[in-house]
Amino acid sequence: MLRLRAICPFSWRMFQFRPFSFEPLISQMTKSTDEEQIFDLIEKNKAILTEEQVGCAFSMLWQFQRQKISLLKNVEYIREHPQFLTLQDLATTKMEFMNDTTLVNVLYITQQFGIKAHDPLIEALVTEAWRRLERFDISVLSKFSSCLVDQHLYFSPLMGEIADIVNRNLESIQDLRSLSVLMVNISSLISQRFQEQLVNKTELLFDTIDPSQVNTARRIVQFLRNIKYSYYPLLERCNQVFLSNMNHLDLDFISKILSLYHSLQFYNFQFFLMAKKRLTEMIPLFDHPANFVKLLVALGPLAGPQEKDRLKSTILLMSEELTSQQALAVMEAMEEMESRNSHLIKKIASILCKHLDNYKPVELLRITQTLIFLHFQSKDFFVKLRELLISYLKVSVVPSEIALLVCALSMLPSPHLDEARISQIEAVLPQCDLSDLNDFATSVLRCIQYDHTYLDSTPGKQLKLLQKLDYHGRQRLQKCNDLNLLWKEVKSLKGDWFAHSLLEETVVTLQRLMDEINYMNIAGIASFISRSNYLSTSLLDRIASVVVQQIEKIHPFAILGVILPFCALNYDPPQRDEFFGTCIQHLNSHLSKLDPIMLVFLGSSLATIEYFPENLLKAIFNIKFLAKLDSQLELLCSSLNMKVQFRLMELNRAVCLECPEYQIPWFHERFCQQYNKDTGSMNGAQQQIYKMLAEVLGGINFVKASVLTPYYYTIGFECILDKRKNPLPYGKSNTQIAGSRLPPGAEKIALEFLDSRAFCRNTPHLKGKSAMKKRHLEILGYHVIQIPHFEWNSMALSTKGARMDYLRERIFGAGKSDRCFY
């Protein structure tokens, strides 16, 4: 025996310090029923605990903790317990001997118990894990990355190393659950190419997960949100997982998904309807403000009138208990709900005012925007808010933060920028992206509009600031050499400054980079062109070419965005029939997957350019579809609800007029009667034309203004000429709605004054809606005369006599004018 001890002194020493068997102690831990039993075992065995037993003790404590209702109270109790401190000391001494799984698990649990990142144990565990990083398997690596996220180390070199490991080993990874965790955690660091590789890998592995793994699906959606990529194939598959598990989803989960979908602009009405039903069932279950506020935020925008009243009355009763963040959430939910409950608004505003000093700058902007939208008025509140915004502004040096603070200030009553603030803005302009520049310009324009008296030098300096904003905006566009980076900056830009100062330069930049347009960014670029009303034939030709070449890669959900500029701007690409035919054929095999609202917008857009796909029309004009559409309209805000109904009416009208062979009935009579209650108002130019028409035609009884046609088009002016081109007077029995029989050979004339909205922004090219109206009026028997604003307001028609001659020529055709109106 002594000889054996002499030969193997190290082994003998290790044998002495380990218990005869650690299995019984671990077994005792796993059979424990509460934390005290674990702490008793630690106290009695701390001299002999092994690394496995230390890891087991941490795991059991966390298992008990997850079963508690009052987490915060128990966390504090555990963290301060003497034996938990002992356990931490043991972990420090034994971490070197822990296996990888135990090491990272101990790190994760200590963080869950609120141990700070600068604690020696946390630092030592992270350092040890970093040392082993390359050998971690995928599940351990994913958990370790979550630990780093808990420490807000999103951009750390360590997270960068994890991203590199995932990149190098992506082909061999088969565990989508662990990969989804990593995807979310490294999303801030990875290139677009790596993003695409992760999306492709996720698609390959998606069918390997159990249909009940809702958290994996949620993380995939979260990853797409993080990289700002609405990739419809994956979103659809994740959405199907959520739908099949809806009865098991809790409030937190549904709230998270609704928020992610909103960020991605992914609107699946089947999910919304099922979520509404599930959340409505939860209303009686929550009587604590924290949970009820979350329910209000999630359900409020989806709820019907009765549910909204119930939610608002309940939150009013709880209002005294709301925290600052809960009050802000309630106020924003009221904006989403389009609430006008003045009592509740004032109550929540009083809570916001009480906590105003505690809000961050971005939250102050949200408060300002919401209160302005809700028409809240309180001089004292806005004075305090302005003082707070200015105090933040004086010490801020971050361009985006300065931009949002200035934006908030400009929205308050009596907006004003003094010289100090103007100088502060000028100092950060070289660091600003297009979004910041647009925010600054919009804010300055608001201030200039208010300060119309020009009593001091400040407005002049504001105008100079606008010039500097123009310069920096153009410089940024001219230096841009990546379409995707440009798109990130311009996709949400809107407002007068951008339209007047940077839109043309933006289109020039898009044209310069248009070879980079592909199936991934094509819908976004096309939608931008639609919103801008800027006709760029080269860009639209490029979009049409990409669609024809890459149609199989373009998701059906994206087709509406792709065709929209062609329909709205009334432009036919060189390969018109091939382009639209390809889009329609691609849609036909996916009609059942598209929501009714999208189908309505598709149908009405295609009708604008005289396309009436039979399969699409059959899918829309049936009782089952219209009933489903009605149920979805209930989920929309009032403005969008009305927009969808109006588009359906336009499609119904177009089909009745242009495709009578389909025998689709006109069922919008009552809707149009309600919508067209007031058609008698005229603007200045129309009143001027009306008086001149009366003179040209021989009196006001020869011309009618604001006439409603069959199918409820409104005509600016109408007159009737007999077969000899002589005006016919209207009798007293004439009704406002046209359509009575005409004498043989007589002709109805429709005169339309077209303002700038009827044309593309950059060229006198008639847009789709105006062209369709002309087409339909001709079908109804009118000879249509359109009077463009740029002709009527041209130098050639600067006198009354010239305008009278112009009207005579257009109506009677008495010679052709040689004037140039452009």
Side-chain angles (χ1 to χ4, degrees), residues 76-141:
E76 187 175 350
Y77 170 75
I78 299 295
R79 189 172 60 238
E80 301 300 328
H81 197 286
Q83 297 310 316
F84 188 72
L85 299 175
T86 300
L87 192 61
Q88 291 181 66
D89 292 338
L90 289 168
T92 302
T93 59
K94 297 183 180 297
M95 71 175 66
E96 185 180 349
F97 304 106
M98 293 178 181
N99 63 38
D100 297 341
T101 302
T102 301
L103 177 77
V104 173
N105 197 47
V106 169
L107 172 61
Y108 175 79
I109 293 171
T110 51
Q111 290 187 175
Q112 298 307 306
F113 278 116
I115 306 301
K116 301 298 182 183
H118 54 74
D119 185 273
L121 174 60
I122 299 290
E123 291 179 345
L125 288 167
V126 170
T127 302
E128 179 63 22
W130 196 342
R131 189 177 65 81
R132 306 184 191 187
L133 199 60
E134 287 289 344
R135 78 184 198 200
F136 280 171
D137 66 28
I138 184 69
S139 62
V140 174
L141 191 66

Side-chain angles (χ1 to χ4, degrees), residues 663-674:
Q663 297 184 332
I664 292 173
W666 168 247
F667 55 90
H668 279 88
E669 188 78 18
R670 183 179 299 178
F671 172 81
C672 289
Q673 287 173 353
Q674 294 174 342

Side-chain angles (χ1 to χ4, degrees), residues 96 248 281 389 400 437 622 683 697 733 755 762:
E96 185 180 349
H248 306 292
E281 293 168 353
L389 289 167
S400 57
L437 295 172
N622 64 77
N683 60 33
L697 295 169
S733 61
D755 62 19
N762 58 315

Side-chain angles (χ1 to χ4, degrees), residues 637-694:
C637 65
S638 58
S639 58
L640 185 54
N641 184 311
M642 178 57 69
K643 185 177 182 181
V644 174
Q645 292 190 66
F646 195 75
R647 287 295 186 88
L648 181 63
M649 182 278 293
E650 290 180 322
L651 176 59
N652 187 198
R653 177 169 61 194
V655 174
C656 289
L657 287 171
E658 300 194 61
C659 302
E661 67 273 16
Y662 289 152
Q663 297 184 332
I664 292 173
W666 168 247
F667 55 90
H668 279 88
E669 188 78 18
R670 183 179 299 178
F671 172 81
C672 289
Q673 287 173 353
Q674 294 174 342
Y675 187 81
N676 290 280
K677 285 181 179 178
D678 181 18
T679 60
S681 59
M682 291 187 287
N683 60 33
Q686 289 170 327
Q687 290 176 357
Q688 189 181 54
I689 294 172
Y690 181 53
K691 291 177 182 178
M692 291 186 182
L693 281 172

